Structure formats: C-alpha cells, structure tokens
Amino acid sequence: MTPTPAPTPAPTPAPAPPAIVVLGSTNMDLVAYVAKAPAGGETVTGREFRTVPGGKGANQAVAAARAGGEVTMIGAVGNDDFGTRLRSALAHSGIDTDSLRTAEGPSGTAHIVVDDDGGNSIVVIPGANGLVTGLACGDEAVITSAYALLLQLELPLSAVTAGARAARLHGVRTILTPAPAAPMPPELLAATDLLVPNEHEAAALTGRHDPLLAARALLDDVPEVVVTLGAAGSAYISRDAPEPVFVPAVRSRPVVDTTGAGDTFVGALAVALGEGKPMPEAMRWASAAAALSVQRHGASTSMPYRQEIDAL
Ligand code: RIB
C-alpha cells in the first residue's frame, strides 16, 4: 500500500501590520562625502555630493514602513521643490502623508559630512519643521488609531509634548528618541513609555558616561529604556526588570554611511514590538535592520525591507 503523503504544513501567516504614527521632522539631507571631515577653519575637497530625503521623523517612518508597519506621518514640509520631493519619497514608501502639512517657506535641510569610516557630522536647519508647534485638527484622531506613536526632538517641544499627551490619553504606546539631545519638559517624559537614546544622548541627558548608569538614571523619568551602543549592540532596562538585557549588534561589513542607523533601529523595533515580539527579540531584529542600513549610502535610501531583515 502506498503511504499517504504527509500534509504540507500551512505557511505561517504573516503578522497583521502594526499601525505606527510618526510625529516628526522631514529634512532634505545635503550630503558631502569626504575622506576625512574638515577640522574647524579647514577646507577640504570632497568626493561626491548627494541630496537624500531624511529627517529623523521621516527616517523612522520609512524604516517602519519597509519593516512591515502601516505608517502615517504627521509633520510639515515647505512649499519648495524639496518639499515636493520629500512628500513623494514618503508616499513612495507606502506612508500615509495626508497629515503632512505643506507650510509657507523652505523645507527642513540637514547639512551632512560623511567620512570614509562612515561617521558623520550634521547641521540641521529646521525650516517647515520649526512651524509645527502643536497638533493640527485631525492629528489626535490619527494618533488614537495607532499601536505606537514615534517621537524625536527635531520638532518644537510643544508639538512633541502635545503628541505624547494625546497618545497617553488614548493608551497608545509612546516611543521617544531624544535626538538631538535636549532638556525635555517633565510632561513629555511623564507621557513617554519607552525612551531610545544612543549612548551619547543618554550621557548628555544624565551627565553619566557609563551607558548603563545613564539608563538606570533615566528610569526615574520613564518606565522603559533601550540604549543603543553602536557596534556594541543595545541594552534594555525597565522599572519592572531592572537587570539589564544586552543584545549584541549584528556584524556589518562594509560600513559606508551610519546616517539614519539609529532611526532604522527605532522604526524596526516599533514594528517588531507591535507584532508582539518580546523586547530582546525585537532588539535583535532591529539590530539586523540597522546593520543593513550602514552598508548603504544615505538615510532613508539605506533602509532595508522586511525580507532582508528576516534573511539576515
Ligand atoms: O538621524 C539622521 C537624520 O538626522 C538625518 O537624515 C538628518 O536629516 C538629521 O535629521
């Protein structure tokens, strides 16, 4: 008798895409690639110039969308050519831009120097981002529908705080990247669920240069902290589990441009958490996303798609 073939196992269903809202900045990145960044007062000749859609908010939105989230962006672009390009780059990544305003005046720009080690220095001119001082009509309803609200500090603090408050009111998880590092109002920290600084931001916020001590100090303000440690990985600590969990970085070669690596990490982390992955697993997945992003040029242009993250 011919044995009955075993049934083919049903494929694991893809998790429902978590709804992520980003309230944050959009910048056109004006990037100069040089062997070595100039010192103060020095002039150097660079190798190449590129314009790349960026901004910490938009980068996190693109990272989350490519990682599998259903993403809406709240913020503003200017009514210039950069604004048109920034908006269409977001839409091209599948991001809902209905809540992205077009403001009178220039879009935000970031003036970036990237050296041969992939390191960078950045000057941001806020432009339209600086005009987002609070939530507009309809923004709160958009936030209410999300699993998580992603925030950074490239919009005026009044807007970031209003967003966090609205999210907290409706039980939406708030994930705040305190970059660029700046003192934050207590109302913002009180409405933050998860803070994700890098080691330099953690030190700037607390005055402690040991990232773990800095993370512990931040637990006075927020219930959960993930500190990103560059090539050393990331560490998680919470009020409920004060023993730190370290997750090593995924190795990455070659490193060509680290711009937006932290944003990639946060966007992917939010998606993984929204799909119900436990924190250490979510951090590992986000690390893989960041590792892929540093192997490519630019911020939003370097962000990996879900299949690439899974494969790594
Ligand atoms: O985090 C990287 C981003 O910082 C760049 O895209 C640039 O726009 C600045 O905002």
Side-chain angles (χ1 to χ4, degrees):
M1 217 166 77
T2 328
T4 320
T8 317
T12 321
I20 310 272
V21 173
V22 180
L23 170 61
S25 58
T26 51
N27 295 327
M28 186 56 79
D29 291 353
L30 311 175
V31 192
Y33 291 93
V34 298
K36 192 170 170 295
E42 191 185 4
T43 301
V44 297
T45 300
R47 201 181 26 255
E48 196 188 346
F49 171 72
R50 295 187 189 192
T51 54
V52 184
K56 293 185 193 305
N59 291 344
Q60 293 188 1
V62 171
R66 292 190 181 171
E70 214 167 79
V71 182
T72 301
M73 176 84 200
I74 304 176
V77 294
N79 62 349
D80 52 4
D81 289 348
F82 284 163
T84 309
R85 208 176 131 197
L86 290 168
R87 180 184 291 283
S88 69
L90 288 167
H92 188 74
S93 286
I95 295 160
D96 182 336
T97 58
D98 287 355
S99 305
L100 188 66
R101 275 98 82 182
T102 299
E104 193 70 36
S107 297
T109 48
H111 303 256
I112 306 183
V113 174
V114 176
D115 64 27
D116 273 355
D117 295 329
N120 63 40
S121 46
I122 307 182
V123 174
V124 171
I125 307 292
N129 299 300
L131 303 176
V132 183
T133 51
L135 296 182
C137 179
D139 288 351
E140 184 161 343
V142 170
I143 291 170
T144 309
S145 64
Y147 156 73
L149 176 68
L150 306 190
L151 302 156
Q152 321 74 33
L153 300 182
E154 280 189 337
L155 293 185
L157 281 170
S158 53
V160 182
T161 306
R165 258 205 238 112
R168 172 56 59 85
L169 189 69
H170 298 287
V172 174
R173 187 174 198 171
T174 48
I175 302 179
L176 171 62
T177 306
M184 288 174 278
E187 312 90 90
L188 173 56
L189 289 166
T192 297
D193 295 311
L194 172 62
L195 193 70
V196 190
N198 66 24
E199 54 201 312
H200 309 291
E201 290 145 8
L205 292 173
T206 61
R208 289 163 201 253
H209 290 277
D210 176 326
L212 215 52
L213 292 181
R216 281 226 169 85
L218 289 167
L219 287 184
D220 289 346
D221 299 315
V222 297
E224 293 182 279
V225 178
V226 170
V227 191
T228 57
L229 307 166
S234 53
Y236 170 67
I237 189 165
S238 76
R239 285 181 188 158
D240 292 341
E243 265 320 296
V245 176
F246 283 98
V247 173
V250 173
R251 274 173 67 87
S252 183
R253 289 282 181 280
V255 175
V256 301
D257 187 347
T258 55
T259 312
D263 301 325
T264 308
F265 181 92
V266 172
L269 183 77
V271 170
L273 293 173
E275 289 173 356
K277 287 191 173 73
M279 184 60 92
E281 200 185 318
M283 287 159 67
R284 209 164 299 126
W285 201 69
S287 259
L292 286 162
S293 79
V294 302
Q295 295 174 23
R296 304 166 186 164
H297 288 289
S300 61
T301 42
S302 70
M303 282 153 190
Y305 289 87
R306 185 182 184 90
Q307 299 82 332
E308 300 174 87
I309 308 173
D310 282 340
L312 186 66

